Amino acid sequence: MSATTTEPLTLEEFLNLPETKPASEYINKEIIQKPMPKGRHSRLQGKLCAVVNQVTENQKIAYAFPELRCTFGKCSTVTDVAVFQWERIPFTVDEQVPDNFELPPDWTIEILSPEQKPNKVIGNILHCLNYGSGLGWFLDPDDLSILVFLAEQQPVLLQGEDFLPVLPEIQLALTVNQVFGWLKMGG
C-alpha cells in the first residue's frame, strides 16, 4: 500500500484556478487568500488610485491600478495599488489594457488590514523591489505611519507632516497626514 502525498500546485496550475473573492496569492508555493478589504482599506485604496491617476493619466505618465494581479519571479500577488509607468503597461495590439500583468509595478502600495501579518505584506513589497520596482509604500492605518521602501536603500518610517516620495515622473506632493486625512470624510 502506497501513501499518497499532495504536491503543492505549480504557479501555472494556480493561475488556471478560478479567481477567489477576496483574491488569493501564490507565494513560495503556497496559496494565501487576502482578507476582505474593510472600510479604511477601501477608502485609502480608492483615494490613492484617484489622486495618482488625476495627475498622471491624461499626460500618459503612469496609471494606478487597484487590486491588480502581478505575476513574476515565481509568485503571483495582488497588490492593493500597483502604479505602472505608462510605457511599461503591456497594452494589447489594439491598445487595450491587458488582463495579465507579468511584470512588477514601478510603485507598489500595500495597506495593512487588521487580519494581515505585517511581515507577509512587507515581503510582497520586497519581492517587487527585488524584481525591479523602484518604490514601495506600506500603510499602517492603526498607527498612521507609512514605511517607504526605495530600491537598494533602507526603509524609512514616515509620519505626520513628512512628505512621501513618489516616482520621479509624477508631480505629486503628499504628506502622511494628508493620506490618512482621507479617512475623515465630509468633515
Side-chain angles (χ1 to χ4, degrees), residues 150-186:
L150 293 161
E152 299 182 28
Q153 291 185 30
Q154 274 194 233
V156 179
L157 184 65
L158 300 178
Q159 299 171 306
E161 291 304 313
D162 292 334
F163 277 94
L164 293 157
V166 297
L167 294 175
E169 306 77 22
I170 298 175
Q171 299 298 309
L172 182 62
L174 282 176
T175 66
V176 174
N177 280 347
Q178 285 174 301
V179 170
F180 290 114
W182 296 331
L183 294 174
K184 294 179 181 176
M185 297 174 63

PDB file of all heavy atoms in Angstrom, residues 150-186:
ATOM      1  N   LEU A 150      12.615  52.215  -0.926  1.00  0.00           N
ATOM      2  CA  LEU A 150      13.204  52.641  -2.189  1.00  0.00           C
ATOM      3  C   LEU A 150      14.220  51.574  -2.591  1.00  0.00           C
ATOM      4  O   LEU A 150      14.882  50.988  -1.721  1.00  0.00           O
ATOM      5  CB  LEU A 150      13.900  53.994  -2.042  1.00  0.00           C
ATOM      6  CG  LEU A 150      12.956  55.165  -1.773  1.00  0.00           C
ATOM      7  CD1 LEU A 150      13.708  56.348  -1.201  1.00  0.00           C
ATOM      8  CD2 LEU A 150      12.233  55.552  -3.041  1.00  0.00           C
ATOM      9  N   ALA A 151      14.351  51.334  -3.871  1.00  0.00           N
ATOM     10  CA  ALA A 151      15.266  50.299  -4.352  1.00  0.00           C
ATOM     11  C   ALA A 151      16.657  50.496  -3.765  1.00  0.00           C
ATOM     12  O   ALA A 151      17.199  51.603  -3.777  1.00  0.00           O
ATOM     13  CB  ALA A 151      15.310  50.310  -5.875  1.00  0.00           C
ATOM     14  N   GLU A 152      17.197  49.431  -3.211  1.00  0.00           N
ATOM     15  CA  GLU A 152      18.571  49.371  -2.694  1.00  0.00           C
ATOM     16  C   GLU A 152      18.872  50.406  -1.608  1.00  0.00           C
ATOM     17  O   GLU A 152      19.984  50.902  -1.503  1.00  0.00           O
ATOM     18  CB  GLU A 152      19.571  49.463  -3.848  1.00  0.00           C
ATOM     19  CG  GLU A 152      19.393  48.304  -4.829  1.00  0.00           C
ATOM     20  CD  GLU A 152      20.382  48.322  -5.957  1.00  0.00           C
ATOM     21  OE1 GLU A 152      21.489  48.846  -5.787  1.00  0.00           O
ATOM     22  OE2 GLU A 152      20.030  47.793  -7.021  1.00  0.00           O
ATOM     23  N   GLN A 153      17.843  50.740  -0.802  1.00  0.00           N
ATOM     24  CA  GLN A 153      18.033  51.634   0.345  1.00  0.00           C
ATOM     25  C   GLN A 153      17.301  51.047   1.541  1.00  0.00           C
ATOM     26  O   GLN A 153      16.399  50.237   1.393  1.00  0.00           O
ATOM     27  CB  GLN A 153      17.460  53.025   0.053  1.00  0.00           C
ATOM     28  CG  GLN A 153      18.220  53.796  -0.993  1.00  0.00           C
ATOM     29  CD  GLN A 153      17.661  55.207  -1.141  1.00  0.00           C
ATOM     30  OE1 GLN A 153      17.148  55.786  -0.198  1.00  0.00           O
ATOM     31  NE2 GLN A 153      17.768  55.754  -2.329  1.00  0.00           N
ATOM     32  N   GLN A 154      17.700  51.496   2.728  1.00  0.00           N
ATOM     33  CA  GLN A 154      16.984  51.069   3.919  1.00  0.00           C
ATOM     34  C   GLN A 154      15.601  51.690   3.937  1.00  0.00           C
ATOM     35  O   GLN A 154      15.423  52.822   3.480  1.00  0.00           O
ATOM     36  CB  GLN A 154      17.747  51.516   5.166  1.00  0.00           C
ATOM     37  CG  GLN A 154      18.796  50.538   5.582  1.00  0.00           C
ATOM     38  CD  GLN A 154      19.284  50.829   6.989  1.00  0.00           C
ATOM     39  OE1 GLN A 154      20.454  50.955   7.187  1.00  0.00           O
ATOM     40  NE2 GLN A 154      18.389  50.931   7.946  1.00  0.00           N
ATOM     41  N   PRO A 155      14.614  50.974   4.491  1.00  0.00           N
ATOM     42  CA  PRO A 155      13.278  51.561   4.602  1.00  0.00           C
ATOM     43  C   PRO A 155      13.295  52.793   5.508  1.00  0.00           C
ATOM     44  O   PRO A 155      14.145  52.912   6.387  1.00  0.00           O
ATOM     45  CB  PRO A 155      12.441  50.449   5.235  1.00  0.00           C
ATOM     46  CG  PRO A 155      13.268  49.229   5.208  1.00  0.00           C
ATOM     47  CD  PRO A 155      14.692  49.627   5.014  1.00  0.00           C
ATOM     48  N   VAL A 156      12.346  53.688   5.287  1.00  0.00           N
ATOM     49  CA  VAL A 156      12.224  54.904   6.081  1.00  0.00           C
ATOM     50  C   VAL A 156      10.791  54.966   6.601  1.00  0.00           C
ATOM     51  O   VAL A 156       9.836  54.809   5.834  1.00  0.00           O
ATOM     52  CB  VAL A 156      12.518  56.162   5.223  1.00  0.00           C
ATOM     53  CG1 VAL A 156      12.368  57.421   6.040  1.00  0.00           C
ATOM     54  CG2 VAL A 156      13.888  56.079   4.602  1.00  0.00           C
ATOM     55  N   LEU A 157      10.630  55.208   7.906  1.00  0.00           N
ATOM     56  CA  LEU A 157       9.314  55.340   8.506  1.00  0.00           C
ATOM     57  C   LEU A 157       8.913  56.811   8.509  1.00  0.00           C
ATOM     58  O   LEU A 157       9.610  57.645   9.084  1.00  0.00           O
ATOM     59  CB  LEU A 157       9.324  54.794   9.941  1.00  0.00           C
ATOM     60  CG  LEU A 157       7.970  54.789  10.649  1.00  0.00           C
ATOM     61  CD1 LEU A 157       7.000  53.834   9.954  1.00  0.00           C
ATOM     62  CD2 LEU A 157       8.148  54.406  12.107  1.00  0.00           C
ATOM     63  N   LEU A 158       7.803  57.109   7.840  1.00  0.00           N
ATOM     64  CA  LEU A 158       7.343  58.497   7.742  1.00  0.00           C
ATOM     65  C   LEU A 158       6.018  58.657   8.481  1.00  0.00           C
ATOM     66  O   LEU A 158       5.168  57.776   8.451  1.00  0.00           O
ATOM     67  CB  LEU A 158       7.197  58.897   6.281  1.00  0.00           C
ATOM     68  CG  LEU A 158       8.489  58.815   5.439  1.00  0.00           C
ATOM     69  CD1 LEU A 158       8.215  59.199   3.997  1.00  0.00           C
ATOM     70  CD2 LEU A 158       9.577  59.690   6.034  1.00  0.00           C
ATOM     71  N   GLN A 159       5.874  59.836   9.128  1.00  0.00           N
ATOM     72  CA  GLN A 159       4.676  60.142   9.904  1.00  0.00           C
ATOM     73  C   GLN A 159       4.366  61.623   9.795  1.00  0.00           C
ATOM     74  O   GLN A 159       5.207  62.418   9.386  1.00  0.00           O
ATOM     75  CB  GLN A 159       4.899  59.770  11.378  1.00  0.00           C
ATOM     76  CG  GLN A 159       5.172  58.300  11.601  1.00  0.00           C
ATOM     77  CD  GLN A 159       5.590  58.001  13.026  1.00  0.00           C
ATOM     78  OE1 GLN A 159       6.521  58.599  13.546  1.00  0.00           O
ATOM     79  NE2 GLN A 159       4.902  57.066  13.657  1.00  0.00           N
ATOM     80  N   GLY A 160       3.159  61.977  10.214  1.00  0.00           N
ATOM     81  CA  GLY A 160       2.779  63.380  10.342  1.00  0.00           C
ATOM     82  C   GLY A 160       2.942  64.187   9.070  1.00  0.00           C
ATOM     83  O   GLY A 160       2.400  63.853   8.027  1.00  0.00           O
ATOM     84  N   GLU A 161       3.726  65.262   9.161  1.00  0.00           N
ATOM     85  CA  GLU A 161       3.906  66.168   8.027  1.00  0.00           C
ATOM     86  C   GLU A 161       5.057  65.771   7.104  1.00  0.00           C
ATOM     87  O   GLU A 161       5.447  66.558   6.238  1.00  0.00           O
ATOM     88  CB  GLU A 161       4.095  67.603   8.534  1.00  0.00           C
ATOM     89  CG  GLU A 161       2.839  68.197   9.154  1.00  0.00           C
ATOM     90  CD  GLU A 161       1.629  68.181   8.218  1.00  0.00           C
ATOM     91  OE1 GLU A 161       1.766  68.576   7.036  1.00  0.00           O
ATOM     92  OE2 GLU A 161       0.543  67.752   8.658  1.00  0.00           O
ATOM     93  N   ASP A 162       5.600  64.568   7.279  1.00  0.00           N
ATOM     94  CA  ASP A 162       6.647  64.096   6.365  1.00  0.00           C
ATOM     95  C   ASP A 162       6.075  63.967   4.956  1.00  0.00           C
ATOM     96  O   ASP A 162       4.964  63.431   4.773  1.00  0.00           O
ATOM     97  CB  ASP A 162       7.172  62.709   6.793  1.00  0.00           C
ATOM     98  CG  ASP A 162       7.953  62.742   8.099  1.00  0.00           C
ATOM     99  OD1 ASP A 162       8.517  63.808   8.437  1.00  0.00           O
ATOM    100  OD2 ASP A 162       8.008  61.687   8.765  1.00  0.00           O
ATOM    101  N   PHE A 163       6.829  64.463   3.976  1.00  0.00           N
ATOM    102  CA  PHE A 163       6.421  64.304   2.589  1.00  0.00           C
ATOM    103  C   PHE A 163       6.797  62.912   2.116  1.00  0.00           C
ATOM    104  O   PHE A 163       7.855  62.378   2.468  1.00  0.00           O
ATOM    105  CB  PHE A 163       7.077  65.363   1.694  1.00  0.00           C
ATOM    106  CG  PHE A 163       6.337  66.660   1.707  1.00  0.00           C
ATOM    107  CD1 PHE A 163       6.715  67.673   2.582  1.00  0.00           C
ATOM    108  CD2 PHE A 163       5.248  66.862   0.875  1.00  0.00           C
ATOM    109  CE1 PHE A 163       6.024  68.868   2.619  1.00  0.00           C
ATOM    110  CE2 PHE A 163       4.545  68.059   0.897  1.00  0.00           C
ATOM    111  CZ  PHE A 163       4.940  69.071   1.770  1.00  0.00           C
ATOM    112  N   LEU A 164       5.930  62.326   1.306  1.00  0.00           N
ATOM    113  CA  LEU A 164       6.122  60.978   0.801  1.00  0.00           C
ATOM    114  C   LEU A 164       6.795  61.000  -0.562  1.00  0.00           C
ATOM    115  O   LEU A 164       6.390  61.767  -1.441  1.00  0.00           O
ATOM    116  CB  LEU A 164       4.763  60.274   0.686  1.00  0.00           C
ATOM    117  CG  LEU A 164       4.089  60.003   2.025  1.00  0.00           C
ATOM    118  CD1 LEU A 164       2.589  59.840   1.851  1.00  0.00           C
ATOM    119  CD2 LEU A 164       4.708  58.771   2.661  1.00  0.00           C
ATOM    120  N   PRO A 165       7.809  60.155  -0.766  1.00  0.00           N
ATOM    121  CA  PRO A 165       8.416  60.085  -2.092  1.00  0.00           C
ATOM    122  C   PRO A 165       7.468  59.387  -3.062  1.00  0.00           C
ATOM    123  O   PRO A 165       6.736  58.475  -2.681  1.00  0.00           O
ATOM    124  CB  PRO A 165       9.681  59.258  -1.860  1.00  0.00           C
ATOM    125  CG  PRO A 165       9.392  58.428  -0.664  1.00  0.00           C
ATOM    126  CD  PRO A 165       8.445  59.238   0.182  1.00  0.00           C
ATOM    127  N   VAL A 166       7.474  59.870  -4.296  1.00  0.00           N
ATOM    128  CA  VAL A 166       6.711  59.236  -5.375  1.00  0.00           C
ATOM    129  C   VAL A 166       7.679  58.972  -6.521  1.00  0.00           C
ATOM    130  O   VAL A 166       8.854  59.328  -6.439  1.00  0.00           O
ATOM    131  CB  VAL A 166       5.520  60.127  -5.829  1.00  0.00           C
ATOM    132  CG1 VAL A 166       4.522  60.322  -4.692  1.00  0.00           C
ATOM    133  CG2 VAL A 166       5.984  61.468  -6.343  1.00  0.00           C
ATOM    134  N   LEU A 167       7.205  58.358  -7.581  1.00  0.00           N
ATOM    135  CA  LEU A 167       8.068  58.143  -8.742  1.00  0.00           C
ATOM    136  C   LEU A 167       8.500  59.496  -9.291  1.00  0.00           C
ATOM    137  O   LEU A 167       7.715  60.453  -9.295  1.00  0.00           O
ATOM    138  CB  LEU A 167       7.334  57.345  -9.817  1.00  0.00           C
ATOM    139  CG  LEU A 167       6.971  55.896  -9.459  1.00  0.00           C
ATOM    140  CD1 LEU A 167       6.142  55.276 -10.584  1.00  0.00           C
ATOM    141  CD2 LEU A 167       8.221  55.069  -9.196  1.00  0.00           C
ATOM    142  N   PRO A 168       9.745  59.606  -9.773  1.00  0.00           N
ATOM    143  CA  PRO A 168      10.264  60.903 -10.233  1.00  0.00           C
ATOM    144  C   PRO A 168       9.412  61.589 -11.306  1.00  0.00           C
ATOM    145  O   PRO A 168       9.329  62.806 -11.349  1.00  0.00           O
ATOM    146  CB  PRO A 168      11.650  60.568 -10.793  1.00  0.00           C
ATOM    147  CG  PRO A 168      12.001  59.235 -10.246  1.00  0.00           C
ATOM    148  CD  PRO A 168      10.721  58.536  -9.895  1.00  0.00           C
ATOM    149  N   GLU A 169       8.738  60.813 -12.142  1.00  0.00           N
ATOM    150  CA  GLU A 169       7.944  61.382 -13.244  1.00  0.00           C
ATOM    151  C   GLU A 169       6.638  61.991 -12.771  1.00  0.00           C
ATOM    152  O   GLU A 169       5.972  62.713 -13.501  1.00  0.00           O
ATOM    153  CB  GLU A 169       7.584  60.291 -14.274  1.00  0.00           C
ATOM    154  CG  GLU A 169       8.739  59.495 -14.821  1.00  0.00           C
ATOM    155  CD  GLU A 169       9.268  58.423 -13.867  1.00  0.00           C
ATOM    156  OE1 GLU A 169       8.558  57.968 -12.944  1.00  0.00           O
ATOM    157  OE2 GLU A 169      10.434  58.046 -14.042  1.00  0.00           O
ATOM    158  N   ILE A 170       6.224  61.646 -11.555  1.00  0.00           N
ATOM    159  CA  ILE A 170       4.903  62.046 -11.056  1.00  0.00           C
ATOM    160  C   ILE A 170       5.020  63.314 -10.208  1.00  0.00           C
ATOM    161  O   ILE A 170       5.753  63.347  -9.233  1.00  0.00           O
ATOM    162  CB  ILE A 170       4.259  60.894 -10.253  1.00  0.00           C
ATOM    163  CG1 ILE A 170       4.058  59.679 -11.163  1.00  0.00           C
ATOM    164  CG2 ILE A 170       2.944  61.338  -9.628  1.00  0.00           C
ATOM    165  CD1 ILE A 170       3.537  58.448 -10.458  1.00  0.00           C
ATOM    166  N   GLN A 171       4.288  64.333 -10.612  1.00  0.00           N
ATOM    167  CA  GLN A 171       4.261  65.604  -9.882  1.00  0.00           C
ATOM    168  C   GLN A 171       3.154  65.536  -8.838  1.00  0.00           C
ATOM    169  O   GLN A 171       2.013  65.889  -9.101  1.00  0.00           O
ATOM    170  CB  GLN A 171       4.013  66.763 -10.856  1.00  0.00           C
ATOM    171  CG  GLN A 171       5.083  66.915 -11.913  1.00  0.00           C
ATOM    172  CD  GLN A 171       6.450  67.222 -11.306  1.00  0.00           C
ATOM    173  OE1 GLN A 171       6.592  68.122 -10.507  1.00  0.00           O
ATOM    174  NE2 GLN A 171       7.450  66.430 -11.674  1.00  0.00           N
ATOM    175  N   LEU A 172       3.516  65.052  -7.661  1.00  0.00           N
ATOM    176  CA  LEU A 172       2.534  64.872  -6.603  1.00  0.00           C
ATOM    177  C   LEU A 172       3.221  65.073  -5.260  1.00  0.00           C
ATOM    178  O   LEU A 172       4.215  64.413  -4.965  1.00  0.00           O
ATOM    179  CB  LEU A 172       1.954  63.449  -6.689  1.00  0.00           C
ATOM    180  CG  LEU A 172       0.871  63.059  -5.699  1.00  0.00           C
ATOM    181  CD1 LEU A 172      -0.373  63.927  -5.875  1.00  0.00           C
ATOM    182  CD2 LEU A 172       0.510  61.589  -5.895  1.00  0.00           C
ATOM    183  N   ALA A 173       2.716  66.009  -4.475  1.00  0.00           N
ATOM    184  CA  ALA A 173       3.263  66.270  -3.142  1.00  0.00           C
ATOM    185  C   ALA A 173       2.212  65.879  -2.119  1.00  0.00           C
ATOM    186  O   ALA A 173       1.142  66.487  -2.047  1.00  0.00           O
ATOM    187  CB  ALA A 173       3.633  67.744  -2.996  1.00  0.00           C
ATOM    188  N   LEU A 174       2.509  64.841  -1.359  1.00  0.00           N
ATOM    189  CA  LEU A 174       1.588  64.347  -0.337  1.00  0.00           C
ATOM    190  C   LEU A 174       2.335  64.151   0.972  1.00  0.00           C
ATOM    191  O   LEU A 174       3.467  63.660   0.973  1.00  0.00           O
ATOM    192  CB  LEU A 174       1.023  62.981  -0.737  1.00  0.00           C
ATOM    193  CG  LEU A 174      -0.086  62.894  -1.757  1.00  0.00           C
ATOM    194  CD1 LEU A 174      -0.398  61.436  -2.058  1.00  0.00           C
ATOM    195  CD2 LEU A 174      -1.334  63.600  -1.242  1.00  0.00           C
ATOM    196  N   THR A 175       1.684  64.489   2.068  1.00  0.00           N
ATOM    197  CA  THR A 175       2.245  64.169   3.380  1.00  0.00           C
ATOM    198  C   THR A 175       1.493  62.959   3.937  1.00  0.00           C
ATOM    199  O   THR A 175       0.386  62.626   3.475  1.00  0.00           O
ATOM    200  CB  THR A 175       2.098  65.342   4.373  1.00  0.00           C
ATOM    201  OG1 THR A 175       0.712  65.541   4.639  1.00  0.00           O
ATOM    202  CG2 THR A 175       2.748  66.604   3.844  1.00  0.00           C
ATOM    203  N   VAL A 176       2.082  62.361   4.947  1.00  0.00           N
ATOM    204  CA  VAL A 176       1.429  61.235   5.610  1.00  0.00           C
ATOM    205  C   VAL A 176       0.085  61.680   6.185  1.00  0.00           C
ATOM    206  O   VAL A 176      -0.925  60.992   6.028  1.00  0.00           O
ATOM    207  CB  VAL A 176       2.353  60.644   6.710  1.00  0.00           C
ATOM    208  CG1 VAL A 176       1.640  59.561   7.498  1.00  0.00           C
ATOM    209  CG2 VAL A 176       3.647  60.104   6.092  1.00  0.00           C
ATOM    210  N   ASN A 177       0.051  62.857   6.825  1.00  0.00           N
ATOM    211  CA  ASN A 177      -1.209  63.360   7.385  1.00  0.00           C
ATOM    212  C   ASN A 177      -2.277  63.539   6.316  1.00  0.00           C
ATOM    213  O   ASN A 177      -3.466  63.282   6.563  1.00  0.00           O
ATOM    214  CB  ASN A 177      -0.997  64.682   8.123  1.00  0.00           C
ATOM    215  CG  ASN A 177      -0.433  64.481   9.522  1.00  0.00           C
ATOM    216  OD1 ASN A 177      -0.408  63.362  10.048  1.00  0.00           O
ATOM    217  ND2 ASN A 177       0.041  65.565  10.117  1.00  0.00           N
ATOM    218  N   GLN A 178      -1.890  64.004   5.133  1.00  0.00           N
ATOM    219  CA  GLN A 178      -2.866  64.168   4.054  1.00  0.00           C
ATOM    220  C   GLN A 178      -3.460  62.820   3.675  1.00  0.00           C
ATOM    221  O   GLN A 178      -4.678  62.692   3.485  1.00  0.00           O
ATOM    222  CB  GLN A 178      -2.227  64.815   2.828  1.00  0.00           C
ATOM    223  CG  GLN A 178      -1.983  66.307   2.980  1.00  0.00           C
ATOM    224  CD  GLN A 178      -1.223  66.856   1.786  1.00  0.00           C
ATOM    225  OE1 GLN A 178      -0.123  66.421   1.477  1.00  0.00           O
ATOM    226  NE2 GLN A 178      -1.821  67.824   1.124  1.00  0.00           N
ATOM    227  N   VAL A 179      -2.633  61.803   3.520  1.00  0.00           N
ATOM    228  CA  VAL A 179      -3.106  60.480   3.132  1.00  0.00           C
ATOM    229  C   VAL A 179      -4.099  59.946   4.168  1.00  0.00           C
ATOM    230  O   VAL A 179      -5.200  59.538   3.834  1.00  0.00           O
ATOM    231  CB  VAL A 179      -1.936  59.498   2.921  1.00  0.00           C
ATOM    232  CG1 VAL A 179      -2.436  58.062   2.762  1.00  0.00           C
ATOM    233  CG2 VAL A 179      -1.109  59.912   1.701  1.00  0.00           C
ATOM    234  N   PHE A 180      -3.715  59.964   5.444  1.00  0.00           N
ATOM    235  CA  PHE A 180      -4.612  59.429   6.458  1.00  0.00           C
ATOM    236  C   PHE A 180      -5.770  60.371   6.753  1.00  0.00           C
ATOM    237  O   PHE A 180      -6.806  59.938   7.294  1.00  0.00           O
ATOM    238  CB  PHE A 180      -3.837  59.050   7.726  1.00  0.00           C
ATOM    239  CG  PHE A 180      -2.970  57.839   7.509  1.00  0.00           C
ATOM    240  CD1 PHE A 180      -1.584  57.943   7.561  1.00  0.00           C
ATOM    241  CD2 PHE A 180      -3.524  56.608   7.228  1.00  0.00           C
ATOM    242  CE1 PHE A 180      -0.776  56.824   7.356  1.00  0.00           C
ATOM    243  CE2 PHE A 180      -2.732  55.477   7.007  1.00  0.00           C
ATOM    244  CZ  PHE A 180      -1.357  55.591   7.066  1.00  0.00           C
ATOM    245  N   GLY A 181      -5.644  61.637   6.381  1.00  0.00           N
ATOM    246  CA  GLY A 181      -6.771  62.578   6.493  1.00  0.00           C
ATOM    247  C   GLY A 181      -7.947  62.177   5.621  1.00  0.00           C
ATOM    248  O   GLY A 181      -9.089  62.551   5.909  1.00  0.00           O
ATOM    249  N   TRP A 182      -7.689  61.395   4.567  1.00  0.00           N
ATOM    250  CA  TRP A 182      -8.770  60.930   3.703  1.00  0.00           C
ATOM    251  C   TRP A 182      -9.738  60.012   4.441  1.00  0.00           C
ATOM    252  O   TRP A 182     -10.866  59.779   3.983  1.00  0.00           O
ATOM    253  CB  TRP A 182      -8.216  60.208   2.479  1.00  0.00           C
ATOM    254  CG  TRP A 182      -7.399  61.066   1.566  1.00  0.00           C
ATOM    255  CD1 TRP A 182      -7.517  62.398   1.348  1.00  0.00           C
ATOM    256  CD2 TRP A 182      -6.326  60.630   0.733  1.00  0.00           C
ATOM    257  NE1 TRP A 182      -6.582  62.824   0.434  1.00  0.00           N
ATOM    258  CE2 TRP A 182      -5.842  61.756   0.032  1.00  0.00           C
ATOM    259  CE3 TRP A 182      -5.712  59.400   0.503  1.00  0.00           C
ATOM    260  CZ2 TRP A 182      -4.796  61.691  -0.869  1.00  0.00           C
ATOM    261  CZ3 TRP A 182      -4.681  59.323  -0.401  1.00  0.00           C
ATOM    262  CH2 TRP A 182      -4.212  60.455  -1.075  1.00  0.00           C
ATOM    263  N   LEU A 183      -9.318  59.491   5.585  1.00  0.00           N
ATOM    264  CA  LEU A 183     -10.197  58.611   6.354  1.00  0.00           C
ATOM    265  C   LEU A 183     -11.349  59.386   6.997  1.00  0.00           C
ATOM    266  O   LEU A 183     -12.376  58.825   7.332  1.00  0.00           O
ATOM    267  CB  LEU A 183      -9.404  57.852   7.418  1.00  0.00           C
ATOM    268  CG  LEU A 183      -8.388  56.855   6.880  1.00  0.00           C
ATOM    269  CD1 LEU A 183      -7.554  56.279   8.009  1.00  0.00           C
ATOM    270  CD2 LEU A 183      -9.052  55.759   6.071  1.00  0.00           C
ATOM    271  N   LYS A 184     -11.170  60.705   7.163  1.00  0.00           N
ATOM    272  CA  LYS A 184     -12.249  61.556   7.688  1.00  0.00           C
ATOM    273  C   LYS A 184     -13.004  62.106   6.491  1.00  0.00           C
ATOM    274  O   LYS A 184     -12.476  62.925   5.740  1.00  0.00           O
ATOM    275  CB  LYS A 184     -11.675  62.698   8.526  1.00  0.00           C
ATOM    276  CG  LYS A 184     -10.993  62.207   9.788  1.00  0.00           C
ATOM    277  CD  LYS A 184     -10.417  63.372  10.581  1.00  0.00           C
ATOM    278  CE  LYS A 184      -9.718  62.829  11.807  1.00  0.00           C
ATOM    279  NZ  LYS A 184      -9.065  63.888  12.561  1.00  0.00           N
ATOM    280  N   MET A 185     -14.212  61.676   6.321  1.00  0.00           N
ATOM    281  CA  MET A 185     -14.992  62.085   5.155  1.00  0.00           C
ATOM    282  C   MET A 185     -16.050  63.114   5.554  1.00  0.00           C
ATOM    283  O   MET A 185     -16.704  62.964   6.579  1.00  0.00           O
ATOM    284  CB  MET A 185     -15.658  60.872   4.515  1.00  0.00           C
ATOM    285  CG  MET A 185     -14.644  59.869   3.979  1.00  0.00           C
ATOM    286  SD  MET A 185     -15.404  58.349   3.388  1.00  0.00           S
ATOM    287  CE  MET A 185     -16.398  58.942   2.034  1.00  0.00           C
ATOM    288  N   GLY A 186     -16.170  64.135   4.741  1.00  0.00           N
ATOM    289  CA  GLY A 186     -17.238  65.115   4.909  1.00  0.00           C
ATOM    290  C   GLY A 186     -17.134  65.983   6.156  1.00  0.00           C
ATOM    291  O   GLY A 186     -18.101  66.599   6.551  1.00  0.00           O
TER     292      GLY A 186
END
